[in-house]
Amino acid sequence: QVQVVESGGGSVQAGGSLSLSCAASGDKDLFCMGWFRQAPGKEREGVATFLNRGSTTYYADSVKGRFTLSQANATKNTAYLQMNSLKPEDTAMYYCAEKKNWGSCSALLPGHFGNGGQGTQVTVLS
């Protein structure tokens, strides 16, 4: 598993926007990367994932139309999560991770991905 560093979190009013970044170590092209989040007292859940090169993205129903996952063109090991129209229920620690050597990229299952980095906190105020 590659090492990743998440950044870009913060506090924002409901309806606002934030952009998260995920930087992975090394020059390896990432086959499948994903963003996940975990709120206090809740299990980690999948937010969005993408297949490298094919530029196919998958989103949880709760964020479709509001969040956009993209990858830097110059460096394939950097990914972004643009979050618009944020809601209080989006409040969580956000992690990015690479998919393990098995499992599905489209299913957004945290167990199919690594643990990610330290995470970045997103707080949406009502």
Side-chain angles (χ1 to χ4, degrees):
Q1 291 288 303
V2 297
Q3 301 297 311
V4 296
V5 177
E6 304 94 341
S7 61
S11 295
V12 64
Q13 293 289 331
S17 299
L18 284 172
S19 181
L20 307 184
S21 298
C22 170
S25 61
D27 296 327
K28 174 187 173 185
D29 279 349
L30 302 170
F31 176 67
C32 172
M33 284 289 294
W35 282 97
F36 301 84
R37 65 187 182 186
Q38 188 165 17
K42 295 187 177 181
E43 293 186 355
R44 187 173 293 198
E45 63 175 355
V47 175
T49 61
F50 70 81
L51 283 172
N52 192 22
R53 298 191 180 279
S55 299
T56 303
T57 53
Y58 307 95
Y59 296 95
D61 288 343
S62 59
V63 305
K64 280 181 181 176
R66 300 189 298 121
F67 290 12
T68 302
L69 191 155
S70 62
Q71 190 180 23
N73 291 328
T75 55
K76 294 290 186 182
N77 60 350
T78 303
Y80 305 99
L81 185 68
Q82 177 65 38
M83 306 186 296
N84 299 326
S85 302
L86 283 162
K87 304 175 181 180
E89 50 263 43
D90 294 319
T91 295
M93 187 70 79
Y94 283 70
Y95 303 88
C96 70
E98 183 186 21
K99 192 180 70 67
K100 298 175 181 177
N101 292 329
W102 51 271
S104 166
C105 191
S106 62
L108 283 82
L109 294 174
H112 293 186
F113 291 75
N115 293 327
Q118 295 295 315
T120 186
Q121 177 68 38
V122 171
T123 302
V124 184
L125 306 172
S126 59

